Amino acid sequence: MDRLEKQKSLHGRNTRPHVGIIGAGLAGLRCADVLLKYGFKVTILEGRNRIGGRVHQAKLQNGRLADLGPNWIHGTKNNPINDIAKKTGTETGNWDTRSYMFDPTGTLLSLEESERYASMMWDIVQDAFTHSNKNGNEIDPKESLWDFFLVEVAKRIPETEENYRHSRQLVLHVAEMWGAFVGSPIQTQSLKFFWMEECIEGENLFCAGTYEEILQSVAKAALEKAEIKLEKVVSQISYGKGCQDRVRVQTKEEEVFEFDDIVVTAPLGWLKRNLAAFEPKLPPRMVKAVNSLGYGCLEKTYITFPTAFWLGSDDTGRSVQGFCQWLAPRYAPNNPHRWNQEVVDLASLSPPSAHPTLLFYTFGDASRYLIEEAAKREKKAERDAFIFDFFKPYYSRLPHYSESSVDCQPTGCLATNWLQDELAGNGSYTNFQVGLEDGDEDIKTMRTGLPDVGLWLAGEHTAPFVGLGTATGAYWSGESVGRRIAEKYGLAGTRPFLEA
């Protein structure tokens, strides 16, 4: 009797198939929801002392809740996360999207000039999507998005233009901020597979009310009907022959759990570091897929002030709101490589979500530098002082800043540390790096999993292409695996959800 027939027989004797899920993030929670609806017994093993995975919040000094993981809902057309946000009354926002920029000397550019450079950057990004979609098969895997920018900027700012070198350089500095979208430098972004970075159609909404209520909504069924075991860090997953048609999971505390099927929703970064946890070894094609894809390191730093001084108005009429960038700063001695800095102004959100906080995004080497230097300080006060000192060259250049004004002195900060989080895979989310040769097939390989031996993968790294690297993608992936498991046991007649 093969595995499927055996389980059908068990089901016929009113024995429910038992599915284990590793990870209580959005993928695992949504998968549990689907499986529970089909009558499966579900146990979730979560390494942390909480649910949510990379979806997590903490309080700022001013009492406001802030997302440490995803801040955005990428795309509004047929996006279930956006639908849940509406259902739960979670406030989402989009504010003044004009770009404010400081040049390498620390001078605030005119809004007209900033807009010109930002618009050119986004036009080139859109052309790169088109080029990658149309010519992906012919593009050399070694080509990067940066290579594309070098060519396009030279075309769009000819040598006949006054100060063309200066303008070209500024556009390229702006282009480097693409790294904040993928968690890695633009120089490492694959042009061949750039099309896989395209998201769901519609607006990109900032989750002003945080993901807290969204998470609770997705988790509701699992919290009520599944068995959730917290602080269970998995060390080994045994599947296939020798397991008597059961999947065995062992934790670091040497507890052993047995399931009919297992869904591994651990992040791609965790898989990369824990391939030895699978017994027997994963098939070579699966190993290649895991190792080939990139994994970013985006970090967030919230700095709160008594008031949003940068929004004030005076006889100069100056203000900065929404998004602001400091390009290749020459004036920051604690920024050893002149990394660009980018901030989102949370004071410009609509009431009641608005509060006087600046949200800085860092990625790549800048993230590593901040994390490593902060870790050298034992006391929180010392770490906070380091963070204030690092970002002061930027917020001190905002309009109306005064060293002597208490309104301009930060009252607190909150910084993420995904790079040192082993359960997050020491990073943030999947991206597609230079040298990648079969990125789409790599995703499909992980998405397919090993259903014949009861081993499934889910998470943002196995999502439909338009959802890769997003919270929505994680949700979709869990839903898809749940339905496919139900189909495998003859409990569902519907086709897999959004498999392409």
Side-chain angles (χ1 to χ4, degrees):
M1 182 181 295
D2 66 20
R3 178 186 181 87
L4 182 56
E5 289 175 344
K6 179 178 179 180
Q7 294 307 324
K8 284 182 176 179
S9 175
L10 288 173
H11 183 66
R13 298 201 306 268
N14 296 319
T15 301
R16 293 186 298 160
H18 189 185
V19 178
I21 298 174
I22 297 175
L26 288 181
L29 294 169
R30 178 55 181 157
C31 186
D33 188 359
V34 172
L35 291 170
L36 290 165
K37 288 176 180 175
Y38 284 116
F40 287 84
K41 180 180 179 181
V42 177
T43 298
I44 301 177
L45 304 178
E46 168 55 54
R48 303 181 192 277
N49 62 0
R50 59 170 178 80
I51 65 169
R54 284 166 285 178
V55 178
H56 185 46
Q57 298 79 36
K59 280 193 174 181
L60 300 171
Q61 186 73 23
N62 61 8
R64 297 279 189 155
L65 206 60
D67 277 315
L68 302 184
N71 288 119
W72 296 84
I73 297 175
H74 295 288
T76 51
K77 186 176 181 180
N78 298 322
N79 186 334
I81 297 297
N82 188 45
D83 295 338
I84 296 171
K86 292 178 180 178
K87 180 181 177 181
T88 58
T90 297
E91 185 177 350
T92 58
N94 212 338
W95 57 92
D96 188 335
T97 56
R98 291 179 295 179
S99 298
Y100 296 84
M101 298 176 189
F102 289 82
D103 73 10
T105 70
T107 300
L108 180 61
L109 301 178
S110 70
L111 190 55
E112 180 182 10
E113 191 174 8
S114 296
E115 284 287 281
R116 180 198 175 206
Y117 298 139
S119 295
M120 187 175 296
M121 189 277 283
W122 283 112
D123 287 345
I124 294 174
V125 164
Q126 191 55 55
D127 287 348
F129 279 135
T130 301
H131 175 64
S132 180
N133 264 304
K134 184 178 180 180
N135 305 300
N137 291 336
E138 289 73 44
I139 296 174
D140 190 321
K142 296 178 182 178
E143 282 193 73
S144 70
L145 179 59
W146 180 250
D147 295 327
F148 188 83
F149 260 91
L150 290 174
V151 173
E152 289 299 314
V153 169
K155 287 180 184 177
R156 296 168 199 234
I157 305 177
E159 294 182 6
T160 54
E161 183 176 312
E162 185 178 359
N163 296 323
Y164 75 92
R165 286 193 178 90
H166 174 74
S167 296
R168 285 180 179 179
Q169 194 60 57
L170 285 179
V171 175
L172 291 173
H173 285 322
V174 177
E176 289 187 276
M177 293 312 301
W178 175 258
F181 288 89
V182 296
S184 298
I186 187 174
Q187 291 84 354
T188 65
Q189 169 74 63
S190 168
L191 181 62
K192 183 180 181 70
F193 289 100
F194 188 49
W195 60 271
M196 294 175 71
E197 297 288 0
E198 287 192 277
C199 289
I200 302 166
E201 293 182 31
E203 296 180 274
N204 287 316
L205 300 178
F206 188 82
C207 197
T210 79
Y211 265 76
E212 182 185 32
E213 294 298 326
I214 295 172
L215 173 62
Q216 291 305 314
S217 176
V218 177
K220 186 176 186 297
L223 290 171
E224 293 176 352
K225 301 176 183 178
E227 184 177 22
I228 302 179
K229 294 181 176 291
L230 301 177
E231 298 184 280
K232 304 297 180 184
V233 178
V234 170
S235 60
Q236 188 173 61
I237 302 167
S238 302
Y239 65 95
K241 293 181 180 179
C243 299
Q244 296 164 347
D245 290 336
R246 301 274 284 177
V247 180
R248 293 168 57 89
V249 177
Q250 182 171 311
T251 69
K252 286 188 175 180
E253 293 76 24
E254 298 188 352
E255 292 179 274
V256 176
F257 299 87
E258 289 193 352
F259 305 105
D260 296 306
D261 287 76
I262 190 76
V263 182
V264 181
T265 73
L268 176 65
W270 187 92
L271 293 176
K272 286 176 174 289
R273 292 170 178 265
N274 291 276
L275 286 170
F278 292 90
E279 176 60 39
K281 293 180 180 180
L282 292 174
R285 184 64 188 89
M286 183 76 76
V287 172
K288 177 182 180 296
V290 170
N291 286 330
S292 294
L293 297 167
Y295 196 62
C297 54
L298 182 72
E299 301 285 358
K300 302 173 177 69
T301 302
Y302 295 85
I303 301 181
T304 300
F305 296 84
T307 65
F309 65 85
W310 53 91
L311 296 182
S313 59
D314 56 20
D315 55 2
T316 68
R318 296 181 305 161
S319 68
V320 166
Q321 60 188 101
F323 298 88
C324 185
Q325 299 172 342
W326 291 263
L327 306 177
R330 299 173 187 165
Y331 44 83
N334 52 2
N335 183 344
H337 298 285
R338 295 176 59 195
W339 296 303
N340 292 348
Q341 301 299 314
E342 180 176 56
V343 77
V344 175
D345 151 43
L346 303 188
S348 292
L349 293 169
S350 300
S353 296
H355 54 101
T357 300
L358 296 174
L359 168 55
F360 287 88
Y361 291 98
T362 58
F363 61 90
D365 288 341
S367 287
R368 294 185 186 92
Y369 173 80
L370 278 172
I371 295 299
E372 291 170 3
E373 288 299 315
K376 295 176 183 178
R377 280 80 175 168
E378 292 185 5
K379 298 179 180 179
K380 183 181 185 304
E382 295 174 342
R383 292 193 296 273
D384 288 354
F386 165 73
I387 290 171
F388 294 149
D389 186 54
F390 181 85
F391 289 106
K392 185 175 180 179
Y394 316 114
Y395 66 72
S396 65
R397 279 172 168 74
L398 292 174
H400 320 298
Y401 176 84
S402 171
E403 184 71 28
S404 62
S405 172
V406 67
D407 288 341
C408 301
Q409 305 308 312
T411 58
C413 65
L414 176 65
T416 62
N417 187 359
W418 297 112
L419 273 170
Q420 294 182 344
D421 188 321
E422 292 184 6
L423 295 178
N426 303 93
S428 301
Y429 46 82
T430 306
N431 57 31
F432 312 100
Q433 302 294 280
V434 169
L436 190 61
E437 296 181 345
D438 302 297
D440 50 349
E441 294 303 319
D442 293 332
I443 295 294
K444 289 178 181 178
T445 296
M446 291 192 296
R447 187 190 295 163
T448 300
L450 303 174
D452 291 343
V453 292
L455 179 62
W456 310 77
L457 300 182
E460 49 84 12
H461 51 291
T462 70
F465 293 143
V466 294
L468 291 167
T470 69
T472 300
Y475 178 96
W476 269 337
S477 74
E479 182 169 68
S480 175
V481 168
R483 291 191 179 192
R484 289 166 60 204
I485 291 175
E487 288 181 342
K488 171 182 172 179
Y489 287 99
L491 300 176
T494 57
R495 63 184 176 82
F497 183 73
L498 276 176
E499 283 298 322

